[in-house]
């Protein structure tokens, strides 16, 4: 089936019809998983003819799921397409696992593994109802997930940086580390000054994702190829924020290597700057949104300059 066409190859792609058909194929796959599992839940084994029919039905159901996924054109949004692909893959892998479990399990009774595998296919098939229905919703979902991860990273580092707190105190005993003044186990005052600017960058990351998420919710549209592409560009670069925050956070634990901290801070600052630039030039940022873009751009530059100043004599 050519991308963007229906099985007849002539009709234009319609998103509502796609979702109806995908939902039907997922439902059929769930039913086939149930039939397959029940057939091998107790003796006697199904006949050779029954096994052939079961296999054909399972194969047809999986082929239908994959075929419908390929109906979704990239022009509807790469963020949306990736989420549908991941859901489709989970269904296929779930059915493979169920089949393997049945092949490797004795037929005396329904095994716990078989029950778990069958439930796994059901759960994967039910996900279709929770998938975002267009690229705007998909990008909102992706940004919200990234924001949650960054929030956790910021809170964890804030907790570790509490004045006087030993960052390793909750995982190591004194006798394991030997002398408590070991430079590898605590932050010096100079470290803390540097890390306060790094925390500024991490908080700017959280604020950036929060503001971009709100802008996409309020102004994001998936009504034209240009708008869909802009949303994808925003999601792609915003997806780099969380890993960059994690890398910076890891380099902030003692013993602090100023060069590593500076490099990771510069990488995060670069990602944030790109996110803000892409947001500013996209349809999700009308004039009413320009204030926070300018403010956060300034905050990123300010904290990065402080990191540079603190590390200047330590490199």
């Amino acid at each position: 089936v050519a991308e963007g066409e229906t099985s007849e190859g002539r009709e234009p792609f319609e998103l509502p019809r796609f979702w109806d058909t995908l939902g039907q194929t997922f439902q059929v796959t769930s039913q086939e998983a149930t039939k397959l599992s029940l057939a091998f839940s107790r003796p006697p084994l199904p006949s050779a003819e029954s096994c052939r029919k079961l296999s054909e039905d399972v194969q047809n159901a999986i082929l239908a799921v994959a075929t419908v996924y390929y109906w979704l054109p990239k022009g509807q949004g790469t963020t949306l397409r990736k989420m549908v692909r991941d859901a489709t893959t989970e269904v296929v892998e779930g059915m493979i696992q169920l089949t393997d479990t049945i092949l490797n399990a004795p037929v005396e009774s329904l095994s716990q593994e078989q029950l778990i595998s069958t439930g796994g296919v059901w759960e994967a098939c039910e996900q279709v109802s929770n998938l975002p229905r267009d690229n705007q919703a998909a990008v909102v979902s992706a940004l919200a997930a990234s924001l949650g991860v960054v929030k956790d990273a910021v809170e964890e580092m804030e907790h570790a940086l509490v004045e006087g707190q030993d960052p390793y105190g909750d995982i190591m005993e004194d006798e394991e580390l030997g002398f408590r003044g070991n430079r590898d186990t605590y932050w010096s005052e100079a470290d803390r000054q540097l890390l306060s600017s790094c925390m500024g960058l991490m908080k700017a990351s959280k604020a950036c994702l929060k503001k971009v998420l709100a802008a996409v919710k309020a102004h994001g549209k998936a009504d034209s190829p240009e708008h869909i592409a802009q949303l994808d560009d925003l999601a792609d670069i915003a997806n780099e924020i969380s890993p960059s925050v994690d890398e910076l956070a890891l380099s902030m634990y003692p013993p602090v290597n100023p060069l590593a901290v500076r490099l990771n801070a510069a990488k995060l600052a670069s990602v944030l700057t790109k996110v803000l630039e892409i947001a500013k030039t996209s349809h999700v940022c009308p004039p009413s949104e320009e204030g926070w873009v300018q403010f956060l751009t300034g905050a990123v530059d300010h904290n990065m300059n402080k990191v540079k100043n603190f590390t200047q004599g330590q490199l």
Side-chain angles (χ1 to χ4, degrees), residues 273-306:
T273 300
K274 284 181 189 173
V275 171
L276 293 167
E277 286 173 353
I278 290 172
K280 186 177 180 180
T281 57
S282 77
H283 72 283
V284 306
C285 265
S288 60
E289 302 285 344
E290 288 177 4
W292 63 261
V293 174
Q294 189 174 351
F295 174 80
L296 285 174
T297 301
V300 171
D301 291 342
H302 172 72
N303 283 292
M304 191 59 225
N305 286 332
K306 283 174 72 176

Side-chain angles (χ1 to χ4, degrees), residues 188-207:
S188 67
E189 189 53 41
D191 290 339
R192 287 186 177 275
Q193 287 182 331
L194 170 60
L195 300 189
S196 68
S197 301
C198 293
M199 280 305 303
L201 276 176
M202 291 177 69
K203 288 177 181 177
S205 304
K206 183 173 81 169

Side-chain angles (χ1 to χ4, degrees), residues 2-223:
E3 189 180 276
E5 296 182 345
T6 65
S7 55
E8 291 79 18
R10 293 182 298 274
E11 298 175 38
F13 178 83
E14 295 175 3
L15 204 51
R17 182 177 177 184
F18 166 79
W19 287 115
D20 287 345
T21 309
L22 190 70
Q24 289 166 14
T25 60
F26 273 47
Q27 185 179 12
V28 168
T29 304
S30 180
Q31 291 167 350
E32 292 304 327
T34 305
K35 281 166 54 180
L36 182 67
S37 191
L38 285 173
F40 289 90
S41 62
R42 67 179 81 82
L45 281 169
S47 66
E49 178 61 25
S50 295
C51 285
R52 186 187 65 77
K53 180 69 168 62
L54 283 166
S55 298
E56 279 183 5
D57 290 347
V58 167
Q59 184 177 1
N60 289 337
I62 290 299
L63 285 173
V65 166
T67 299
V68 175
Y69 157 66
Y70 281 111
W71 287 357
L72 182 62
K74 291 177 183 175
Q76 290 293 326
T78 55
T79 310
L80 176 65
R81 205 164 188 264
K82 182 181 183 303
M83 290 183 179
V84 176
R85 182 187 69 202
D86 289 347
T88 302
T89 301
E90 200 167 325
V91 170
V92 174
E93 289 178 345
M95 190 64 92
I96 291 170
Q97 184 180 348
L98 173 59
T99 306
D100 283 342
T101 302
I102 289 171
L103 288 172
N104 296 319
V107 193
E108 284 76 24
S109 62
L110 188 63
S111 69
Q112 186 66 21
E113 290 78 13
Q114 188 174 331
L115 282 170
I116 292 170
S117 296
T118 307
V121 177
W122 293 342
E123 193 174 332
C125 291
E126 285 167 7
Q127 278 190 47
V128 70
S129 60
N130 299 321
L131 286 170
R133 264 22 193 185
D134 61 23
N135 207 47
Q136 187 260 0
V139 172
V140 165
S141 175
L143 291 171
S146 293
L147 177 59
V149 175
V150 169
K151 273 183 178 176
D152 289 344
V154 171
E155 287 171 13
E156 184 179 323
M157 188 51 66
E158 280 180 327
H159 180 69
L161 277 168
V162 171
E163 190 64 40
Q165 181 177 319
D166 176 358
Y168 296 118
D170 59 343
I171 57 172
M172 292 185 180
E173 297 296 332
D174 287 11
E175 54 267 22
E176 292 177 0
L177 291 169
F179 179 51
R180 213 54 187 148
N182 187 335
R183 179 66 184 80
D184 290 355
T185 67
Y186 75 99
W187 285 301
S188 67
E189 189 53 41
D191 290 339
R192 287 186 177 275
Q193 287 182 331
L194 170 60
L195 300 189
S196 68
S197 301
C198 293
M199 280 305 303
L201 276 176
M202 291 177 69
K203 288 177 181 177
S205 304
K206 183 173 81 169
C208 182
L209 279 168
K210 193 173 179 181
K211 287 294 189 179
V212 171
L213 174 59
V216 172
K217 280 183 178 178
H219 309 292
K221 295 185 176 110
D223 58 355

